[in-house]
Amino acid sequence: MTTLPEIRTHSSYSQLAVGSHDAVVAVYTGADILTQQQTPYTDWEAAAAPFRQIDKEFGKSVVLVPAPSVGGGRLVLSPIDSVDDDTDDVRKVFDAVKSGVARAIEAGARRPAVYLAPLPASVNAVPDADYSRWIEVALLAGLKASYVTLVVREHRTATLGADAVVENLHSIDLVVESHSDEELRNAVKRATAIEGGRRLALDMGYGDPERMTPYKCAETIQAAAASVPGLEFEVIKDLDMIKQDYPLLYHSARASFAEKRTWPCVVKLEYRSPVPAQVKEHLFLVGKGVTYDTGGISLKIGGSMRGMSRDKLGACGVAGFAVATGLMQETAVDLSCVLAFERNSIGPNSLLPDEIVYSRAGVRVLINDTDAEGRLVMTDPVAECRERILAARVAGSKIPAAIYTVATLTGHVIRAYGWYGATVANGPARRGKYDQRLAVSGLAYGDPFENSIMRREDHAFVRGRTDREDVYQSNSLPSTLTDRGHQYPAAFIIKASGLDKHSVGAGASAAIPFVHVDIAGSAEDGSEPGLGLCGITGSPVATFAGAFWS
């Protein structure tokens, strides 16, 4: 991971020295703010006035104007049209800051000052928005504009050597009026920790199928974890051990055994709070890390294989959150993460539809579609987490524990919600509002999640009908053509992992909360650049931070 730009905070524009920055990016709501008779607006309005006179659209989009009174002579005005309408939310701030900083970078700036004008009080009345973390969101936007992907950093270094630009910005001066220095320092601390984790997720996510094979993903995580206090790394590569402990992953990955460089592996990350007495919960996080998905013998056709190097973003997000939590030295949580990496290849040794394979929990799984591999690779890690929770309870632990799976699992979630993530929770998690925590946090960090509800039809759909199997892995249709295509996979994971024995009906002492998080929509930004692939967002790193950090 790269070193972040230096961030300096100022609670007043008057604290900003002209020599400290080479551009000012002003983010504000309402064009009339520039006409206020106070510093710095009077100087900015004088610089903008000639442009306003000749352009009736001035003030409606990002614009760069020369301004002798600011560092570098560059003033970037990045207005927000509204923040308090029915569907407005904190993403308006993110978009304005990112666009403004990107424009400053295009103009040659490397040390911009970002001035955030106060938000109107009316934002508190918007029903489905939360601006409580807007300063952190603004910082994350600026850092996103500064970020250069790992593959580009490597290319530039190889071709340009010491002259390579591996980070777009050297520093950011953040100016927010009417906020204390302590508030700003806390916002910087959280945002930089989140960004550190998010960058690990992005570095891996943008890697093509050869740059980020399962083993190379593990190496990337290991390198990042090495410098994070309290974060322990382990990788399992032995195929016999994977076959024994993660049989569904083993069988899904069989076709990849032909080339050792594409063999599967399991990465484990353990984080322990530096203050054990403050731990409020132990999170067990399972990530899907399919580094390329051909569909296996149920081959993806019609161009649908395009973009399947992104099928690892669930594991990338979990690893990023673990790193962010370590960088934050968060005291309220312990983490146990299991990341299942594989390439879903096709070949003579492929897993086949009609096979019956046993899960770690001893459940007989009838395979109907090898392209539904994500639920397979995560199920045995979920069973392992279940075993660990039960063992901790037997040993006397009273710390609440819950299991989360994170995956780019279905196209159906995109069909249902567009470019948004969704949660599907079991009864204990619904009762404890675990899924709603993610929805609330997602609003605050500009990564909204929808809460889907598991129904009896989801369990009925995967229930075995003969004495030859216990559960159906899938049907043989794409999820986009299947009713409740993003909900029923959670029912499969619950049954095949043994979590069905830990429902609300099992009683409070036996119940284990479980939330499946499908980020197929939220992991990418949905804006395809020509024939290239979408940008990657780093979801759900920030959302998890907001939900689980103190």
Side-chain angles (χ1 to χ4, degrees):
M1 297 186 296
T2 57
T3 301
L4 299 183
E6 179 186 1
I7 299 175
R8 298 179 290 265
T9 59
H10 313 274
S11 57
S12 170
Y13 185 77
S14 61
Q15 298 175 355
L16 188 64
V18 173
S20 69
H21 59 284
D22 57 8
V24 167
V25 178
V27 178
Y28 56 91
T29 59
D32 60 338
I33 194 171
L34 296 183
T35 63
Q36 295 183 20
Q37 297 301 308
Q38 62 187 62
T39 304
Y41 302 124
T42 50
D43 291 342
W44 295 352
E45 174 58 20
F51 298 89
R52 191 189 305 280
Q53 292 173 1
I54 62 171
D55 185 358
K56 66 181 180 63
E57 293 295 304
F58 184 86
K60 297 182 180 180
S61 60
V62 177
V63 62
L64 170 68
V65 299
S69 65
V70 305
R74 304 178 181 101
L75 174 62
V76 178
L77 301 176
S78 189
I80 305 174
D81 56 353
S82 68
V83 289
D84 53 8
D85 210 348
D86 286 4
T87 58
D88 288 340
D89 60 45
V90 75
R91 288 175 295 174
K92 286 288 192 74
V93 175
F94 183 94
D95 293 343
V97 174
K98 183 184 174 185
S99 298
V101 173
R103 183 66 186 91
I105 292 170
E106 290 173 351
R110 293 294 178 265
R111 297 176 291 110
V114 177
Y115 178 90
L116 302 179
L119 295 178
S122 55
V123 298
N124 297 317
V126 182
D128 293 307
D130 181 351
Y131 290 88
S132 61
R133 298 287 181 182
W134 75 288
I135 297 174
E136 292 174 50
V137 170
L139 271 171
L140 290 169
L143 291 169
K144 185 68 177 289
S146 179
Y147 169 71
V148 177
T149 65
L150 172 64
V151 290
V152 173
R153 298 198 306 268
E154 291 176 337
H155 167 72
R156 289 178 178 175
T157 300
T159 56
L160 299 174
D163 294 330
V165 175
V166 296
E167 183 75 28
N168 287 326
L169 297 179
H170 300 314
S171 64
I172 297 175
D173 279 283
L174 179 69
V175 185
V176 191
E177 305 273 5
S178 303
H179 284 266
S180 69
D181 291 337
E182 182 179 3
E183 286 178 303
L184 297 181
R185 282 194 298 269
N186 288 337
V188 170
K189 181 180 179 181
R190 289 176 65 96
T192 52
I194 291 170
E195 179 67 8
R198 188 172 69 174
R199 287 191 174 198
L200 172 61
L202 298 180
D203 279 354
M204 289 195 294
Y206 279 112
D208 67 46
E210 289 300 309
R211 177 60 187 86
M212 286 295 166
T213 62
Y215 282 11
K216 289 181 179 178
C217 284
E219 292 168 3
T220 303
I221 296 170
Q222 183 177 19
S227 60
V228 179
L231 188 61
E232 296 182 0
F233 169 91
E234 177 188 358
V235 61
I236 300 171
K237 297 180 178 180
D238 183 79
L239 291 182
D240 290 335
M241 187 176 295
I242 292 174
K243 184 177 184 180
Q244 174 182 310
D245 292 342
Y246 310 99
L248 297 182
L249 167 62
Y250 175 89
H251 287 292
S252 178
R254 279 181 348 212
S256 71
F257 297 170
E259 292 283 346
K260 188 170 184 178
R261 63 187 173 79
T262 63
W263 281 11
C265 65
V266 175
V267 170
K268 294 185 176 182
L269 294 169
E270 296 283 339
Y271 171 78
R272 293 297 176 266
S273 166
V275 188
Q278 294 183 12
V279 174
K280 297 179 180 179
E281 57 187 330
H282 191 149
L283 306 178
F284 289 81
L285 308 178
V286 175
K288 172 189 173 184
V290 178
T291 60
Y292 200 81
D293 183 14
T294 69
I297 208 73
S298 304
L299 189 68
K300 292 181 181 289
I301 60 174
S304 59
M305 204 183 298
R306 180 80 168 108
M308 285 298 105
S309 62
R310 303 287 178 79
D311 217 11
K312 59 184 178 292
L313 293 180
C316 297
V318 171
F321 173 63
V323 166
T325 302
L327 292 173
M328 187 67 183
Q329 285 294 281
E330 176 56 45
T331 61
V333 296
D334 286 339
L335 302 181
S336 294
C337 308
V338 187
L339 314 177
F341 288 102
E342 71 150 356
R343 179 182 291 188
N344 188 18
S345 300
I346 184 170
N349 196 31
S350 290
L351 177 67
L352 301 173
D354 298 350
E355 282 194 54
I356 293 178
V357 293
Y358 283 80
S359 73
R360 179 185 176 116
V363 178
R364 296 170 300 166
V365 177
L366 173 61
I367 304 300
N368 284 329
D369 184 358
T370 64
D371 193 19
E373 81 297 331
R375 64 205 70 177
L376 292 179
V377 306
M378 294 192 296
T379 292
D380 291 329
V382 169
E384 179 184 18
C385 294
R386 165 183 167 261
E387 294 165 8
R388 290 185 60 185
I389 291 172
L390 294 178
R393 290 177 178 177
V394 169
S397 174
K398 301 299 182 183
I399 298 175
I403 302 173
Y404 294 77
T405 51
V406 184
T408 51
L409 202 71
T410 67
H412 185 276
V413 77
I414 301 176
R415 179 62 58 89
Y417 295 130
W419 298 103
Y420 293 87
T423 62
V424 186
N426 71 351
R430 287 288 295 169
R431 183 173 58 187
K433 299 183 179 180
Y434 287 73
D435 53 344
Q436 294 180 40
R437 285 171 69 184
L438 296 182
V440 169
S441 173
L443 283 179
Y445 278 97
D447 182 21
F449 274 80
E450 309 289 354
N451 292 144
S452 291
I453 299 175
M454 193 157 27
R455 303 293 185 184
R456 61 184 182 180
E457 289 83 0
D458 302 317
H459 290 277
F461 190 68
V462 298
R463 186 179 302 122
R465 299 293 195 274
T466 78
D467 59 1
R468 297 182 295 278
E469 74 280 322
D470 299 313
V471 66
Y472 301 131
Q473 164 240 16
S474 175
N475 61 359
S476 57
L477 294 174
S479 68
T480 53
L481 300 179
T482 302
D483 292 345
R484 304 187 63 78
H486 76 270
Q487 291 100 323
Y488 86 83
F492 165 80
I493 294 172
I494 289 171
K495 174 64 177 177
S497 68
L499 270 179
D500 57 330
K501 301 176 181 65
H502 304 279
S503 64
V504 168
S509 62
I512 297 177
F514 166 72
V515 182
H516 169 57
V517 184
D518 193 335
I519 60 168
S522 61
E524 295 181 302
D525 61 18
S527 56
E528 297 187 20
L531 298 179
L533 299 177
C534 297
I536 298 175
T537 63
S539 176
V541 175
T543 293
F544 274 29
F548 303 127
W549 291 356
S550 55

